[in-house]
Amino acid sequence: MNEEILKDLLDQYLTGTITEKGRSELMQLIEQPEYRQKIEEILEESFRVEAFVGEEDMRLRDEIQFWLQ
């Protein structure tokens, strides 16, 4: 999996622009242990640069982190 594709899927999810196909693909990646660390790194970077700062964004971040557990 290309890291850019993973970043794009996460960005689409967080901005509410993800398609059903993209959402399904992202959920499959989240279930794979080898992608968990990379997903966490991408999320941390996204939130560190304050790309997503609203209340809804924090809910989505928490949701993804829950899936990673």
Side-chain angles (χ1 to χ4, degrees):
M1 164 66 57
N2 182 322
E3 185 177 328
E4 287 302 313
I5 293 171
L6 183 56
K7 284 182 180 180
D8 191 44
L9 287 171
L10 284 169
D11 181 56
Q12 289 175 33
Y13 181 80
L14 292 170
T15 59
T17 59
I18 198 164
T19 63
E20 274 303 311
K21 180 181 176 191
R23 183 174 164 74
S24 176
E25 197 174 329
L26 179 59
M27 294 304 113
Q28 289 175 0
L29 292 173
I30 286 174
E31 291 176 1
Q32 297 179 34
E34 63 267 24
Y35 291 108
R36 289 178 185 238
Q37 179 65 34
K38 184 47 74 182
I39 291 169
E40 289 176 8
E41 290 171 10
I42 292 169
L43 286 175
E44 285 303 315
E45 178 63 25
S46 293
F47 289 109
R48 190 173 324 121
V49 297
E50 298 184 32
F52 306 99
V53 294
E55 187 175 311
E56 180 66 11
D57 297 328
M58 294 307 289
R59 185 191 65 76
L60 292 172
R61 176 186 173 188
D62 292 343
E63 188 173 295
I64 291 172
Q65 288 180 329
F66 174 77
W67 291 333
L68 292 171
Q69 297 177 3

